[in-house]
Amino acid sequence: MILPIYIYGQPVLREESEPVGADYPNIKELVGNMFDTMYNADGIGLAAPQVGLPVQLFVIDADTVAKNHPECRGFKRVMINPEILERSDETVSLEEGCLSFPGIHEKVARAKSIKVRYMDENFKEIEEYLEGFSARVVQHEYEHLTGHVFIDDISPIRRQLNRGKLNSLIKGTVSCDYKIKSFKK
């Protein structure tokens, strides 16, 4: 089922997410719905707060960018209760977008590599080292679970330059090719 993607201005995007227990109702169905929603919106990652649920869960399928980022070939993950254990000192600045911020793309500096621990959809604990674009995608989605969004990582001048677009998102005067839930004051 395609879920609406919550757009900037929705309070859930600024909430600290709660851990997910193995008894979370219909977790497999939720994961499937999140993948369907992400694919429908042509995204490569989607966090639960982006579909209105303040829980520590996100899905990623970055295979579509593997041509330019070979480390993403076959990189499909469900990450429940993730924790970034290590970040490299070396950072890389690349342009990012976000399904909750349609029409906004900005350069964001992120750690080149990370070590992350999480549980998969079967609640099996996994620890892995990621680098390059796969590490970037995980860091972006992970931030959603902390109430942090990618525009928080850009310079104040770039945020100011995007003020009109951000106001349009808050007012709900944006159109998308995918189902959204905007915040109207």
Side-chain angles (χ1 to χ4, degrees):
M1 176 171 63
I2 307 298
L3 305 170
I5 295 175
Y6 283 51
I7 299 300
Y8 178 67
Q10 286 284 353
V12 71
L13 295 175
R14 291 300 193 174
E15 290 179 29
E16 184 85 24
S17 295
E18 296 293 322
V20 176
D23 60 344
Y24 191 86
N26 305 313
I27 188 79
K28 301 260 185 182
E29 181 181 349
L30 174 59
V31 166
N33 290 343
M34 287 178 65
F35 273 116
D36 290 346
T37 301
M38 180 187 73
Y39 292 139
N40 181 67
D42 292 326
I44 60 173
L46 184 68
Q50 292 180 276
V51 294
L53 301 170
V55 295
Q56 294 178 10
L57 162 68
F58 57 80
V59 298
I60 292 172
D61 188 347
D63 195 58
T64 59
V65 298
K67 182 178 179 183
N68 294 324
H69 306 283
E71 68 277 14
C72 291
R73 186 160 320 287
F75 188 70
K76 183 176 180 178
R77 301 284 189 279
V78 173
M79 294 190 175
I80 299 171
N81 303 330
E83 182 182 1
I84 295 179
L85 304 172
E86 296 173 17
R87 295 176 197 259
S88 66
D89 290 335
E90 185 179 356
T91 61
V92 176
S93 222
L94 288 174
E95 189 172 278
E96 290 185 16
C98 180
L99 296 175
S100 292
F101 292 82
I104 297 177
H105 296 85
E106 286 292 334
K107 278 194 170 187
V108 176
R110 296 206 185 270
K112 183 178 179 180
S113 61
I114 62 170
K115 182 178 180 182
V116 63
R117 179 174 44 224
Y118 61 94
M119 287 186 254
D120 68 9
E121 65 273 22
N122 299 310
F123 287 86
K124 176 185 169 203
E125 189 174 289
I126 297 171
E127 201 169 284
E128 65 183 320
Y129 176 81
L130 301 169
E131 59 183 321
F133 206 78
S134 58
R136 172 174 293 278
V137 177
V138 169
Q139 289 173 83
H140 176 108
E141 298 308 328
Y142 178 82
E143 283 187 346
H144 278 294
L145 307 183
T146 67
H148 193 87
V149 291
F150 91 111
I151 60 158
D152 297 335
D153 298 322
I154 64 176
S155 70
I157 188 78
R158 295 301 310 163
R159 267 196 304 281
Q160 188 61 35
L161 290 170
N162 280 292
R163 179 76 43 219
K165 290 179 183 177
L166 293 170
N167 286 336
S168 291
L169 294 175
I170 290 171
K171 291 176 187 171
T173 57
V174 66
S175 65
C176 288
D177 293 336
Y178 48 89
K179 190 174 173 180
I180 62 170
K181 183 168 178 78
S182 58
F183 177 77
K184 296 178 184 171
K185 289 185 176 182

